[in-house]
Every structure is written in structure tokens, then in C-alpha cells.
């Protein structure tokens, strides 16, 4: 692959200062992780593997270059932190969204549906994400595979 293409296979933690979000649904939950203090953890990390598909309905003609991911956490009792627009914690200056780019931009029209598929993968040493977008029955290649 060309050097520039390598970066389109890499999720990027970024400060999104200029973007348009053409889907009406806004942020949708992808993965949930529960941590219990006295629970025995499987050392293989297989319990943290995840896969999910999320559907979005497009509200305006647009070009999709990728998907932005946001984070929220319920820490303890009613204490929570979030960078999700609707539940944003004030003064969260050290957390940024993650951007999952796609190799080829997708042209979408108002009313179209797209599906974002994401996998949280692991092996003995690493954890990584793989993703693809589906639009009108056609899917992008699975990125970061």
C-alpha cells in the first residue's frame, strides 16, 4: 500500500473542529465493558472481544469519509464522564473522539441508510479495531485487518 493509504487504516484520536454529522441518530452505543472488583478475569482477554453493527439514516446529501467515535463511562454511583455531545462533561480537555476513516469516500443521499460494522480484536500482545461501512448493499473493505 502507498504510505498515505496506511493512515486510512488507522483510527485516529483527534479534535474534531470542522465536521458535519449527516445522520439523525447521533451517537449510538457500541460496546459496554463491566469491571467488577472481585471477579476473576480470563487472562486470555477473549472476554473483551466485541463486534457490533450500527445503522444510521442520512438526513442530507453528503460525502462520508469515516465515522467518529465518542466515549462515556459510568465510574461509580452517579459519577460519570463523557465526551458524547448530549452528555458532555464540562472541562474534558484531555479526551478526544476517535475517527475511523474509510479508504474511499461514500456519496450518500438524504434517506439512505448506512451500516457501520466494528470489531474489537485482540491477541496475546495487542488490542485493535477493524471496521467497514455498508451502503446500498455494498461494503468497503474491512479496514485495519
Amino acid at each position: 500500500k502507498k504510505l498515505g493509504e496506511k493512515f486510512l487504516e488507522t483510527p485516529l484520536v483527534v479534535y474534531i473542529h470542522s465536521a458535519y454529522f449527516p445522520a439523525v441518530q447521533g451517537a449510538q452505543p457500541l460496546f459496554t465493558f463491566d469491571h467488577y472488583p472481585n471477579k476473576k478475569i480470563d487472562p486470555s482477554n477473549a472476554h473483551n472481544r466485541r463486534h457490533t453493527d450500527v445503522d444510521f439514516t442520512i438526513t442530507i446529501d453528503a460525502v462520508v469519509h469515516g465515522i467518529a467515535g465518542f466515549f462515556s463511562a459510568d465510574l461509580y454511583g452517579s459519577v460519570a464522564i463523557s465526551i458524547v455531545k448530549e452528555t458532555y462533561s464540562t472541562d474534558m480537555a484531555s479526551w478526544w473522539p476517535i475517527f475511523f476513516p474509510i479508504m474511499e469516500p461514500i456519496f450518500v443521499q438524504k434517506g439512505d441508510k448506512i451500516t457501520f460494522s466494528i470489531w474489537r480484536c485482540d491477541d496475546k500482545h495487542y488490542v485493535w479495531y477493524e471496521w467497514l461501512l455498508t451502503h446500498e448493499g455494498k461494503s468497503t473493505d474491512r479496514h485495519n485487518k
Side-chain angles (χ1 to χ4, degrees):
K1 291 186 181 183
K2 296 177 187 173
L3 180 61
E5 290 178 355
K6 179 179 108 173
F7 296 105
L8 294 173
E9 295 274 342
T10 304
L12 305 164
V13 176
V14 295
Y15 174 70
I16 299 174
H17 59 88
S18 178
Y20 178 74
F21 299 92
V24 69
Q25 292 84 356
Q28 295 186 41
L30 291 178
F31 303 131
T32 299
F33 297 90
D34 296 312
H35 302 280
Y36 301 100
N38 298 321
K39 184 179 177 185
K40 185 174 180 177
I41 303 276
D42 174 5
S44 74
N45 204 34
H47 63 286
N48 280 324
R49 291 183 191 138
R50 305 280 195 275
H51 168 256
T52 195
D53 301 314
V54 182
D55 297 320
F56 295 94
T57 301
I58 302 302
T59 59
I60 191 168
D61 295 356
V63 179
V64 177
H65 293 272
I67 296 287
F70 299 85
F71 181 85
S72 67
D74 295 324
L75 299 176
Y76 182 79
S78 64
V79 177
I81 53 177
S82 174
I83 61 169
V84 176
K85 180 180 167 183
E86 296 79 10
T87 58
Y88 187 82
S89 302
T90 57
D91 300 324
M92 291 292 293
S94 62
W95 283 16
W96 309 105
I98 189 167
F99 179 69
F100 296 96
I102 55 174
M103 286 282 206
E104 297 287 331
I106 297 173
F107 296 92
V108 294
Q109 295 180 326
K110 182 178 181 177
D112 285 357
K113 299 204 182 322
I114 60 171
T115 301
F116 177 62
S117 301
I118 187 166
W119 294 260
R120 184 181 191 277
C121 308
D122 72 87
D123 64 16
K124 287 175 114 175
H125 305 285
Y126 301 100
V127 174
W128 69 95
Y129 292 93
E130 299 175 2
W131 64 94
L132 62 82
L133 280 176
T134 303
H135 173 246
E136 294 184 346
K138 296 180 182 177
S139 296
T140 65
D141 289 338
R142 190 161 161 175
H143 291 67
N144 203 30
K145 189 171 182 181

